[in-house]
């Protein structure tokens, strides 16, 4: 009996994705940005996500903007969103979108993006609160809303995501310093732990800045091969293939694995939450 | 030192110097630049620029009063037609460019291409075409284009309904104060500026209208003296060279405001270009010259005459020189979008319109116009 239990446990362990504890009570989500091309690489990344879902049953996907490129008619939503992610949608996985510069302004009304008509919004998954921003136009009303929402949040983890990266070593766009000057002081003041962005079509993990972990994950459909210009800020990066991320938050640990279009792990790690005053 | 300052003022170099410093600063020490520029933007764009627009309107009014260079509207008709045609062409080209892509968020940015940098274009035409008729035509075209842009910006501001009545009441009170001062024959502009200006600025701010336009309703009641069109130079001992005259007192402060405006707004990141930048350039470099020339051609076809001293070749150079939007395009951009990626792209486009100097020079040379004759 005991041997059988051990064997089952070993079998389950073998099925897990290395680097992700896959605890039953944890918050599990996937991260993808700049994906909505409708081209083959987007479908291939989507297939990797579907395959990963079988071993790592995430119930949420956060979308970092440029969710659809080009024409955005109803048929495009099918071709560039509903078809590639059909297995996940069918499994009840919920997608939460941020707007990018290529997204139509009416996209917050598209139900499967779960934006409820809002350009910026917040939601929780257990003890993780997500703050979703529209960095195309960071109007004073949005900044005031963010400050109020961050201040009101007592959640253990505060995760922000939006399209334009505050830190990036992508050669094409790089860091959005004007946004950083406005947003980062609030992130520091109210204890934001992790920030995800896209826009640069690469993957990059930035060394922690003021205790905050920044990721650029803008290559789940688009790719600018060779565009990562590593600097002293770069903790890890990958610009040779499309990527997406799998993230698990359990108690004070956030584990992440970045996988490529072929399923190879290109980065992984654990972020331990240190409460900040 | 004083000679250098005089040279800067006489050649309207405050903007290029401010822009140059901003570009270098923003692209080398980005954090410190944006930490200074963003909090300062309100004081410069909403407060300081009110002085600039008041100053500009004062000059326009003085060219139109009896004895001024444009005393009759007739003289200004063709440049106004050119300004309308140029603005329509610029907006059409901007819209076409944006519509051809998928970045819908840029669709509200079309007023940006209505801006023509009067000082930059003036010096460009003056140095290339070297004919008074052409510089006068260019200045009028720039004034009319910017007036169109200001009206659009004014009308498109999100008016806050709750405060609208209170704001309008303050603006009406400001105008009433200014009319009262005019009727009392108060010779100084100071009471107008301090009392009526303060009321008007508060009214604009409360109602949600752009406060930079706050002096426009009251400047018509300031003390005026007629003037010519050489607005960038005033002869000593002219009526404008008097301590009670708005332009005399504010000529240097307005240049400082323009320097600061360029400093806090022109600092765009070199990698910050995008679809918005190309849309602005399409509007200004392609749409505006085409619209300007087509509208003037249509006006001439129905019986208008080109002004004295303006040839078709000169007009082509003027039309291309008017593609430089710079200060006005930057102002319209900041008045249209808040901080963000979109504003960054559009401001990059506004700064790049300075490159309009290159096709202007090339076309003047090809057409053997002015200094190339």
């Amino acid at each position: 009996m005991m041997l059988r239990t051990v064997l089952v446990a070993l079998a389950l362990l073998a099925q897990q994705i290395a680097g992700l504890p896959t605890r039953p009570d944890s918050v599990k989500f996937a991260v993808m940005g700049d994906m909505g091309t409708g081209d083959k690489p987007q479908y291939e990344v989507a297939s990797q996500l579907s395959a990963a879902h079988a071993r790592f049953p995430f119930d949420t996907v956060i979308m970092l903007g440029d969710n659809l490129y080009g024409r955005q008619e109803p048929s495009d939503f099918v071709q560039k969103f509903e078809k590639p992610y059909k297995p996940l949608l069918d499994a009840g996985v919920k997608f939460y979108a941020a707007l990018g510069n290529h997204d139509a302004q009416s996209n917050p009304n598209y139900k499967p993006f779960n934006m409820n008509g809002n350009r910026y919004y917040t939601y929780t998954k257990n003890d993780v609160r997500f703050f979703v921003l529209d960095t195309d136009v960071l109007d004073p009303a949005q900044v005031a809303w963010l400050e109020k929402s961050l201040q009101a949040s007592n959640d253990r983890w505060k995760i922000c995501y939006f399209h334009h990266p505050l830190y990036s070593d992508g050669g094409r766009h790089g860091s959005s310093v004007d946004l950083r000057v406005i947003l980062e002081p609030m992130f520091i003041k109210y204890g934001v732990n992790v920030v995800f962005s896209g826009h640069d079509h690469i993957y990059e993990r930035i060394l922690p800045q003021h205790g905050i972990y920044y990721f650029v994950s803008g290559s789940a459909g688009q790719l600018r091969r060779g565009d990562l210009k590593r600097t002293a800020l770069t903790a890890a990066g990958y610009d040779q293939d499309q990527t997406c991320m799998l993230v698990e938050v359990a108690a004070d640990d956030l584990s992440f694995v970045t996988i490529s279009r072929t399923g190879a792990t290109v980065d992984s790690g654990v972020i331990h939450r240190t409460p900040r005053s | 030192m004083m000679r250098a300052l005089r040279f800067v003022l006489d050649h309207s170099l405050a903007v290029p110097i401010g822009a140059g410093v901003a570009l270098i600063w923003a692209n080398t020490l980005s954090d410190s630049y944006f930490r200074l520029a963003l909090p300062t933007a309100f004081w410069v764009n909403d407060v300081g620029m009110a002085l600039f627009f008041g100053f500009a309107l004062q000059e326009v009014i003085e060219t139109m009063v009896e004895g001024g260079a444009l005393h009759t509207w007739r003289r200004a008709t063709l440049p106004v037609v050119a300004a309308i045609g140029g603005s329509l062409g610029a907006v059409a080209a901007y819209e076409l460019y944006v519509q051809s892509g998928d970045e819908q968020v840029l669709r509200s940015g079309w007023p940006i291409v209505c801006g023509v940098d009067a000082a930059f274009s003036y010096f460009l035409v003056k140095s290339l075409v070297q004919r008074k008729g052409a510089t006068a035509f260019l200045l009028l075209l720039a004034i009319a284009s910017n007036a169109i842009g200001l009206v659009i910006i004014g009308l498109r501001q999100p008016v806050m309904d709750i405060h609208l009545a209170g704001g309008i009441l303050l603006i009406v009170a400001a105008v009433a104060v200014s009319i009262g001062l005019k009727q009392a024959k108060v010779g100084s502009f100071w009471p107008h500026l301090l009392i009526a200006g303060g009321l008007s600025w508060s009214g604009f701010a409360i109602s949600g209208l752009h406060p930079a336009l706050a002096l426009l309703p009251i400047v018509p009641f300031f003390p005026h003296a007629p003037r010519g069109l050489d607005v960038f130079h005033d002869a000593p001992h002219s009526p404008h060279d008097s301590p009670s005259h708005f332009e005399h007192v504010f000529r240097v402060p307005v240049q400082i405001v323009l320097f600061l405006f360029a400093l806090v707004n022109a600092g765009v990141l070199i990698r910050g270009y995008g679809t918005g930048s190309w849309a602005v350039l399409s509007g200004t470099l392609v749409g505006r010259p085409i619209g300007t020339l087509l509208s003037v051609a249509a006006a001439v076809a129905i019986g208008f005459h080109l002004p004295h001293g303006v040839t078709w070749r000169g007009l082509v150079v003027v039309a291309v020189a008017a593609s430089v939007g710079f200060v006005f395009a930057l102002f319209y951009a900041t008045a249209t979008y808040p901080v963000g990626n979109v504003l960054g792209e559009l401001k990059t486009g506004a700064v790049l319109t300075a490159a309009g100097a290159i096709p202007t020079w090339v076309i003047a040379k090809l057409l053997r116009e002015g200094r190339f004759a």
Side-chain angles (χ1 to χ4, degrees), chain A residues 69-70 72 101-102 104-105 135-140 164 170-175 177-182 199, chain B residues 30-31 34-35 38-39 101-105 269 271-275 278 337-345:
Chain A
Y69 285 91
Q72 301 187 22
N101 48 306
H102 289 277
Q105 296 302 292
T135 46
D136 281 329
V137 277
L138 193 67
D139 49 298
H164 303 95
R172 169 60 186 91
H173 297 296
S175 308
V177 188
D178 48 351
L179 295 173
R180 185 163 84 207
V181 166
I182 296 173
H199 200 42
Chain B
S30 314
D31 277 282
F34 286 107
R35 248 182 245 129
L38 292 174
D102 61 359
E103 297 189 46
Q104 279 187 11
V105 69
L269 298 169
R271 287 183 291 177
Y273 66 88
T275 308
W278 309 131
Y337 287 99
V339 176
N341 182 64
V342 171
L343 178 62
E345 284 184 10

Side-chain angles (χ1 to χ4, degrees), chain B residues 129-219:
Chain B
V129 182
Q130 299 176 326
R131 282 198 203 125
K132 269 204 152 183
T135 50
F137 191 94
L138 182 274
L139 270 176
L140 289 169
L141 186 157
I143 289 165
S145 298
N146 292 327
I148 293 168
L150 287 174
V151 169
I152 293 166
I153 291 293
L155 293 176
R156 281 168 49 111
Q157 288 294 311
V159 174
M160 292 177 269
D161 288 339
I162 320 163
H163 307 299
L164 183 60
I168 287 175
L169 211 65
L170 282 173
I171 296 166
V172 170
V175 173
V177 166
S178 236
I179 291 172
L181 290 167
K182 188 182 169 78
Q183 284 184 340
K185 298 195 188 319
V186 175
S188 169
F189 70 89
W190 281 108
H192 288 270
L193 185 68
L194 294 177
I195 304 168
L199 283 171
S200 184
W201 193 93
S202 308
F204 271 72
I206 288 171
S207 62
L209 296 165
H210 203 299
L213 311 180
L215 292 185
L216 302 188
I218 59 167
V219 164

